[in-house]
């Protein structure tokens, strides 16, 4: 089974504690402090590995931890640093924070290596705390704690063109004819479970990459079948080529099929409804009778600005014309690769716990007001509209003692809590 979405847990190493010790040498009865510094905790990196094309390895190993820094030693000896870990992923992997669903980084383009979590800083030994009035300090600094996150890894294939359509319309056959890809081809639904990639080489023209997105069905945008797993691979493509069974070999109406698939694309992501499209009316070698279904498809969609090309993926008829039409359309489009922007910043997430906040009762408005840098930063990276994001918000309120402070101020059920323009009803 192709694996393109997994949840994992990552943790950096904690810093080693500083050491408390004093020189003990012959003839030096009262030696000064000589406690060494703790070692730095290991960091967590992500790196693109061109040899990988799925996230299958993460189905077996879900937890990744860097090494902890060692405690400092006597005679000013520093503790050993914890070992970094590098987690390798295929190009096109989008890394999200699990609770909010926000993007931390997109391992695409020039982003080949990314520092996700920093290791904790080692604590200072007692040698650093000696002063003229405190010549024998008996304390040292503890190491910084580790950082940990739950992540969602999503693989979104990188291709110029995405092939979409119902199962058995001939996408895999078309891809095998025009590229070096060798997808499995069989006459039954969902024969393709992997998004197959192929490179099209054209004479006297720039080539392009095609992704055969596995056969979609109605309800895919709601997760029916393997809908979400397939639809996410269309997000990076610049052009959608919609392959339809013009001969209706399975008894379906090709015009209705096109509308059904477009509805699934739009329901999954509204921006996909504006993505340029070309329709490939396939299986024209199997059209019998006087009616011309290709003409019917053209009458329906060409007035909408969607060109229609009649092809036979089996015989190759019309395929060359379609490929050059794709090439010319791509040349008109923005060549900038689709990269998902960073929305969640781990460095802010962990520094936020140091920020102040206040909880007060506004008697005039009869509202409880929670504000301060800690609250403002939390709201900036939390998606309150998602179930996971709101749960993270509730856990944050509890973990930071805000709920206790509200109760200490006498809050009752149904009272209003205000945070930077957002209002919530309080219920236990």
């Amino acid at each position: 089974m192709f694996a393109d979405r997994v949840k994992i847990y990552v943790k950096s190493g904690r810093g080693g504690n500083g050491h408390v010790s004093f020189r003990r040498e012959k003839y030096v009865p009262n030696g000064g402090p000589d406690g060494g510094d703790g070692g730095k905790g290991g960091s967590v990196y992500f790196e693109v590995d061109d040899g990988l094309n799925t996230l299958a390895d993460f189905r077996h190993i879900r937890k990744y931890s860097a090494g902890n820094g060692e405690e400092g030693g006597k005679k000013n000896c520093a503790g050993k640093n914890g070992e970094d870990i590098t987690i390798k992923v295929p190009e096109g992997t989008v890394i999200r924070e699990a609770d909010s669903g926000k993007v931390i980084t997109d391992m695409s383009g020039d982003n080949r290596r990314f520092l996700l979590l920093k290791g904790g800083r080692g604590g200072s030994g007692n040698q650093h705390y000696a002063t003229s009035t405190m010549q024998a300090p008996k304390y040292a600094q503890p190491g910084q704690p580790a950082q940990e996150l739950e992540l969602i890894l999503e693989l979104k294939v990188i291709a110029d063109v995405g092939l979409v359509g119902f199962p058995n319309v001939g996408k895999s056959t078309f891809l095998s004819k025009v590229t070096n890809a060798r997808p499995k081809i069989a006459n039954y639904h969902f024969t393709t479970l992997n998004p197959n990639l192929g490179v099209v080489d054209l004479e006297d023209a720039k080539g392009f990459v095609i992704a055969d997105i596995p056969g979609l069905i109605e309800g895919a945008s709601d997760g029916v079948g393997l809908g979400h797993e397939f639809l996410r691979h269309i997000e990076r493509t610049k052009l959608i080529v919609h392959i339809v069974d013009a001969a209706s070999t399975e008894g379906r109406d090709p015009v209705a099929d096109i509308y059904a698939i477009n509805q699934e694309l739009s329901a999954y992501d509204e921006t996909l409804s504006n993505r340029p499209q070309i329709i490939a009316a396939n299986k024209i070698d199997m059209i019998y009778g006087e009616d011309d279904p290709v003409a019917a498809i053209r009458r329906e969609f060409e007035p909408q600005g969607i060109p229609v090309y009649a092809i036979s993926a089996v015989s190759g008829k019309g395929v060359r014309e379609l490929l050059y039409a794709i090439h010319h359309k791509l040349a008109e489009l923005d060549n900038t690769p689709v990269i998902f922007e960073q929305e969640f910043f781990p460095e802010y997430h962990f520094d936020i716990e140091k920020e102040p906040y206040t909880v007060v009762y506004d008697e005039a408005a009869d509202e409880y007001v929670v504000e301060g840098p800690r609250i403002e930063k939390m709201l900036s990276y939390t998606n309150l509209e998602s179930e996971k994001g709101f749960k993270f918000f509730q856990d944050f309120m509890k973990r930071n003692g805000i709920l206790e402070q509200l109760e200490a101020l006498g809050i009752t059920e149904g009272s209003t809590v205000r945070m930077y323009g957002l209002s919530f009803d309080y219920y236990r």
Side-chain angles (χ1 to χ4, degrees), residues 61-80:
I61 304 175
R62 298 294 182 98
K63 294 185 177 181
Y64 298 83
S65 300
N68 295 324
E70 293 184 356
E71 183 178 344
K74 298 179 180 179
K75 298 182 180 180
N76 302 324
C77 290
K80 183 179 178 182

Side-chain angles (χ1 to χ4, degrees), residues 102 343 375-382:
K102 292 195 172 185
E343 303 168 316
I375 308 304
E376 188 173 16
K377 286 185 177 181
M378 179 273 296
L379 291 174
S380 71
Y381 66 67
T382 304

Side-chain angles (χ1 to χ4, degrees), residues 1 72 113 143 189 252 313 327 352 414:
M1 176 64 185
R113 185 173 171 85
H189 289 177
R252 293 195 310 268
H327 161 72
I352 196 175

Side-chain angles (χ1 to χ4, degrees), residues 146-168:
Q147 299 177 353
E148 54 188 333
L149 281 176
E150 269 198 322
L151 306 174
I152 297 292
L153 307 186
E154 288 183 334
L155 179 58
K156 300 174 186 283
V157 299
I158 300 174
D160 302 302
V161 179
L163 300 182
V164 301
F166 272 81
N168 291 343

Side-chain angles (χ1 to χ4, degrees), residues 190 217 219-220 223-229:
F190 281 96
I217 59 175
V224 174
L226 296 174
H228 283 167
E229 282 71 12

Side-chain angles (χ1 to χ4, degrees), residues 32 42 269:
D269 184 345

Side-chain angles (χ1 to χ4, degrees), residues 264-314:
E264 295 305 321
L265 297 178
S266 180
Y268 177 75
D269 184 345
E270 286 186 8
T271 63
L272 292 177
S273 61
N274 299 321
R275 201 69 50 92
Q277 274 196 34
I278 292 176
I279 294 173
N282 191 26
K283 301 189 180 182
I284 58 172
D285 55 314
M286 301 181 69
I287 295 175
Y288 306 102
E290 297 180 359
D291 292 337
D292 185 357
V294 176
I297 296 170
R298 286 193 170 119
R299 285 195 301 271
E300 183 71 24
F301 293 100
E302 287 193 340
Q304 301 178 34
I306 304 175
V308 178
Y309 289 82
I311 69 166
S312 168
V314 172

Side-chain angles (χ1 to χ4, degrees), residues 286-393:
M286 301 181 69
I287 295 175
Y288 306 102
E290 297 180 359
D291 292 337
D292 185 357
V294 176
I297 296 170
R298 286 193 170 119
R299 285 195 301 271
E300 183 71 24
F301 293 100
E302 287 193 340
Q304 301 178 34
I306 304 175
V308 178
Y309 289 82
I311 69 166
S312 168
V314 172
S315 70
K317 185 176 181 180
V319 169
R320 178 181 173 85
E321 291 80 1
L322 172 61
L323 293 179
Y324 276 94
I326 293 171
H327 161 72
H328 291 308
K329 187 62 179 179
L330 287 173
E332 299 172 2
L333 302 176
D334 184 1
N335 198 34
T336 305
V338 178
I339 304 292
F340 294 85
E341 298 294 329
Q342 185 170 8
E343 303 168 316
F344 183 97
F345 298 85
E347 59 270 29
Y348 296 157
H349 175 75
F350 293 104
D351 288 345
I352 196 175
E353 305 295 338
K354 304 173 185 175
E355 299 285 358
Y357 69 91
T358 59
V359 181
V360 298
Y361 174 61
D362 183 344
E363 191 171 349
D366 190 23
E367 293 179 335
Y368 294 83
V369 182
V370 183
E371 58 187 4
R374 188 183 305 190
I375 308 304
E376 188 173 16
K377 286 185 177 181
M378 179 273 296
L379 291 174
S380 71
Y381 66 67
T382 304
N383 179 13
L384 295 177
E385 295 182 1
S386 74
E387 183 179 348
K388 288 185 177 180
F390 197 76
K391 183 179 185 303
F392 171 78
F393 164 73

